[in-house]
Amino acid sequence: MPLCNNSSGNLAVAVILLFAGALYISFSSRSISNPLSVLQSIVNTPQSLKNIEFPVEELEATLDRAAAGNNKTVIITVVNKAYVEEVGGGRTMLDLFLESFWEGEGTLPLLDHLMVVATDQTAYDRCRFRRLHCYKMDTEGLDLEGEKVYMSADFIEMMWRRTRLLLDVLRRGYHLIFTDTDVMWLRSPFSRLSNNGSFDMQISVDNSDVGGHLINTGFYHVQSNNRTISLFQKWYDMRLNTTGMKEQDVLKDLLDSGFFNRLGLTVGFLNTTYFSGFCQDSPDMGAVTTVHANCCRHIPAKVSDLTLVLRDWKRYKASHVNSKWSPHTKCWGSWNDTLYVPKI
């Protein structure tokens, strides 16, 4: 045993001497007035970095997993605690959203490309429990756990935080489909979206029959390029000069002002026959792709009426008989629900 220890000691001494000799040779070939400069030059040599493994940043890693095998395209939705907690009937908004992928035509494989962005720990834990691609967004200095009722100050701030995150995604070279969690995916949208680069951005609208393009940022498809990155940067920067306006209205102002044209950016508007919502129902269940609970004020109303949407859809799948959607009674009444108190 002492012999082993002595051999180990001799080996260590030899290694130290070899290292010292290498340093001496290095120092002798240049000025040795500052030996630390030699070590610094070694550290700064690119070749020395090749064998160093750096930790992969969480957002990049999550995007990479979600976009794998999908031409660097990722589907993104944002949830908070209110979207993963049960409301009437024991359902959550996230439950309904995921169920639509299960019940839709050609939509189940798309869950492999869905990245769920959580704004709080409760939502993140629920996402991980569902074994989805999950990312916890930085919300330092802001409480985004409870329900953010339409046009409240916290609602507006959450929309801007979302815009900043999507700008970061585009900067990293990922194409994206953003979808609100209150959008039911009844068919794969890719057959209806232009994926040949002819459009930089395709965005849903509240009503296809009204002029002026009533855009809705609850569902849109964006190609990552210099034009769209410039758009999202300008869009996000305008939050400083548009206090009290939601990001959707700011984007529409940019569109109406001709800023899209000045960027050379091409935009397509998604017809409500295929990308419909409660503002204007699709008349054709045989063609509809998504249904958005827009024109609705709070989560319980959305969950109630979206549950009926899935029921109507299941009936259509069983019969292939086109019929009218169930009335969105709860959502229509939500605007007059003055006694409603959001969950905290």
Side-chain angles (χ1 to χ4, degrees):
M1 184 65 71
L3 182 61
C4 292
N5 289 338
N6 189 47
S7 298
S8 299
N10 290 337
L11 179 60
V13 171
V15 171
I16 293 171
L17 289 174
L18 285 172
F19 182 71
L23 286 178
Y24 176 79
I25 293 171
S26 179
F27 293 158
S28 66
S29 64
R30 65 188 75 188
S31 171
I32 60 173
S33 61
N34 184 10
L36 288 177
S37 66
V38 178
L39 295 176
Q40 187 64 46
S41 69
I42 294 173
V43 171
N44 289 336
T45 302
Q47 184 67 29
S48 69
L49 299 179
K50 288 185 177 180
N51 296 323
I52 300 177
E53 293 186 3
F54 294 98
V56 178
E57 191 253 348
E58 183 184 357
L59 176 58
E60 183 69 32
T62 309
L63 286 167
D64 188 57
R65 290 193 299 269
N70 199 34
N71 193 30
K72 290 209 76 173
T73 299
V74 62
I75 302 165
I76 299 176
T77 195
V78 177
V79 297
N80 67 357
K81 180 181 177 182
Y83 274 61
V84 302
E85 289 189 332
E86 294 182 355
V87 291
R91 310 294 297 277
T92 74
M93 185 67 76
L94 183 61
D95 288 338
L96 284 171
F97 179 68
L98 297 177
E99 184 179 346
S100 74
F101 282 84
W102 280 88
E103 295 292 343
E105 295 179 356
T107 50
L108 185 57
L110 298 182
L111 286 176
D112 292 336
H113 306 298
L114 173 68
M115 183 176 84
V116 177
V117 177
T119 66
D120 55 74
Q121 192 62 42
T122 301
Y124 182 71
D125 290 343
R126 183 61 61 88
C127 176
R128 293 291 301 273
F129 178 77
R130 292 298 192 105
R131 299 184 180 277
L132 302 167
H133 301 300
C134 311
Y135 173 71
K136 189 172 184 295
M137 184 168 65
D138 176 24
T139 57
E140 184 177 355
L142 184 67
D143 176 16
L144 295 180
E145 282 194 348
E147 180 183 358
K148 307 309 173 190
V149 175
Y150 182 75
M151 288 307 294
S152 66
D154 284 346
F155 171 86
I156 292 173
E157 180 60 30
M158 186 164 65
M159 297 302 101
W160 284 121
R161 294 291 179 104
R162 181 180 85 182
T163 303
R164 184 178 68 181
L165 174 72
L166 298 179
L167 168 61
D168 195 4
V169 171
L170 293 173
R171 281 175 172 166
R172 293 166 186 263
Y174 291 90
H175 316 303
L176 65 88
I177 293 179
F178 178 79
T179 173
D180 276 344
T181 317
D182 60 352
V183 174
M184 300 294 98
W185 285 51
L186 305 182
R187 289 186 173 91
S188 172
F190 287 101
S191 63
R192 297 288 181 187
L193 297 173
S194 172
N195 294 303
N196 60 7
S198 58
F199 287 108
D200 295 307
M201 182 176 189
Q202 295 167 278
I203 187 167
S204 63
V205 297
D206 284 337
N207 191 317
S208 294
D209 299 332
V210 177
H213 301 302
L214 297 177
I215 61 171
N216 190 301
T217 53
F219 185 97
Y220 53 85
H221 178 218
V222 188
Q223 299 282 344
S224 173
N225 57 45
N226 290 336
R227 295 180 296 276
T228 56
I229 292 170
S230 296
L231 171 65
F232 271 68
Q233 184 65 66
K234 175 67 172 179
W235 184 15
Y236 181 66
D237 289 345
M238 287 189 68
R239 77 195 186 283
L240 302 174
N241 301 317
T242 53
T243 304
M245 289 180 66
K246 63 180 183 294
E247 37 67 70
Q248 178 174 292
D249 294 336
V250 175
L251 183 64
K252 187 176 187 306
D253 283 351
L254 285 174
L255 173 65
D256 293 342
S257 71
F259 185 73
F260 283 51
N261 294 334
R262 292 195 292 275
L263 287 177
L265 189 144
T266 56
V267 58
F269 303 98
L270 302 174
N271 194 286
T272 54
T273 296
Y274 310 109
F275 299 88
S276 77
F278 292 174
C279 298
Q280 185 179 38
D281 289 321
S282 169
D284 189 355
M285 289 188 180
V288 69
T289 299
T290 60
V291 177
H292 185 192
N294 51 9
C295 293
C296 193
R297 181 169 173 261
H298 53 62
I299 290 177
K302 291 183 177 187
V303 169
S304 177
D305 286 351
L306 286 175
T307 299
L308 297 180
V309 167
L310 286 182
R311 185 194 67 182
D312 294 342
W313 171 248
K314 292 174 186 177
R315 288 176 175 172
Y316 169 79
K317 286 201 305 178
S319 66
H320 286 91
V321 175
N322 190 46
S323 61
K324 291 185 177 181
W325 301 97
S326 297
H328 314 305
T329 307
K330 294 292 185 180
C331 279
W332 295 336
S334 66
W335 300 101
N336 299 319
D337 191 357
T338 57
L339 299 179
Y340 178 72
V341 178
K343 291 182 66 175
I344 298 175

